[in-house]
Amino acid sequence: MSDKLPDTPEGAKPINGTVKTILEWGPLIAFLVAYTKLKDSVFTIGATEYQGFIIVTALFIPVLLVATGLQWWLTKHLSKMQIVTVVMVVVFGGMSVWFNDERFFKIKPTLIYLILGSILAFGLTRGKSYLQSLMGDVMPLEPEGWMILTRRFVALFFGFAVLNEILWRGFSTDTWVWFKTFGFTGLIVVFMLSQAGVLSKYGIEEDGEEKDGA
């Protein structure tokens, strides 16, 4: 049996669970705390007024970069999703700060979900599950199971893209921030729990043998 932690991707160094959680959730928690304290503030920098949300966004970018850099330094590995997220935060967060327009940052999740959904959908048209390349190390499944799960993730990501658009366009910034942080996370947890049947039926044991009853 391998000494590698079950949730440690191939080629990555194991990392303390607490440290991993801090590095992954720390920047987001810091964003929420800063947003709560500064959301009603207005800052004048170089004769230009910036709302608290813009300032918090500007602070969030380097914090996320440092946390992600530390995670790479400790594990020598970053998931494709982490890389995509960091790039999108830097690009669209930077645009929000540069143009002093929070809409760029709010549309970022929509684009991330559309990109992920489109990539997975493209793989399906080729008879492949790109989701397997992202999650196969930590959640081994038979090929049929990956295809089923991929189709469902495509629907989930496109649904999230639509939901994010509804939220930031139709509701307050407060509502968007809190739902973006906890609502989407909760929906993903519920989604994964709802896939228990697929995971059970098509799951593969660590020794490479199919689970009994599959």
Side-chain angles (χ1 to χ4, degrees):
M1 180 178 293
S2 173
D3 292 332
K4 183 169 64 68
L5 295 178
D7 59 349
T8 303
E10 190 69 30
K13 295 181 179 179
I15 183 175
N16 178 274
T18 301
V19 174
K20 183 175 184 291
T21 299
I22 291 174
L23 292 177
E24 290 182 348
W25 283 91
L28 185 56
I29 298 302
F31 177 89
L32 288 174
V33 172
Y35 171 76
T36 300
K37 292 181 176 297
L38 302 177
K39 64 180 181 178
D40 297 322
S41 302
V42 178
F43 300 84
T44 302
I45 302 175
T48 300
E49 290 188 346
Y50 294 92
Q51 298 293 323
F53 183 89
I54 299 296
I55 298 300
V56 173
T57 299
L59 296 174
F60 176 67
I61 295 172
V63 170
L64 179 64
L65 288 173
V66 169
T68 305
L70 284 173
Q71 187 168 346
W72 178 85
W73 182 67
L74 291 171
T75 66
K76 303 304 181 187
H77 177 272
L78 290 176
S79 69
K80 294 180 179 69
M81 182 62 185
Q82 285 176 299
I83 296 172
V84 169
T85 298
V86 169
V87 170
M88 297 293 274
V89 166
V90 171
V91 171
F92 287 92
M95 290 175 68
S96 284
V97 176
W98 182 264
F99 293 106
N100 196 14
D101 189 339
E102 65 185 35
R103 292 177 297 178
F104 289 106
F105 193 67
K106 290 179 177 179
I107 201 175
K108 170 186 64 68
T110 299
L111 296 178
I112 290 178
Y113 293 133
L114 287 176
I115 289 171
L116 292 174
S118 297
I119 290 174
L120 294 183
F122 175 73
L124 289 174
T125 64
R126 303 181 62 196
K128 297 181 179 180
S129 170
Y130 291 158
L131 186 66
Q132 182 177 2
S133 66
L134 293 175
M135 304 174 64
D137 290 333
V138 298
M139 195 172 64
L141 296 174
E142 297 176 56
E144 185 179 353
W146 280 116
M147 295 301 287
I148 294 173
L149 200 58
T150 299
R151 287 193 290 269
R152 294 179 181 181
F153 262 99
V154 168
L156 178 74
F157 287 143
F158 286 150
F160 276 6
V162 172
L163 180 56
N164 187 68
E165 286 298 295
I166 293 173
L167 286 170
W168 81 261
R169 293 177 186 275
F171 295 85
S172 67
T173 296
D174 270 0
T175 299
W176 179 82
V177 167
W178 289 102
F179 195 91
K180 171 66 179 67
T181 304
F182 300 107
F184 282 110
T185 301
L187 289 175
I188 290 175
V189 171
V190 172
F191 172 80
M192 290 305 299
L193 290 175
S194 71
Q195 305 310 306
V198 173
L199 301 181
S200 175
K201 182 177 181 179
Y202 297 101
I204 300 175
E205 297 289 1
E206 288 186 2
D207 60 5
E209 295 180 358
E210 298 179 7
K211 290 184 177 181
D212 294 337

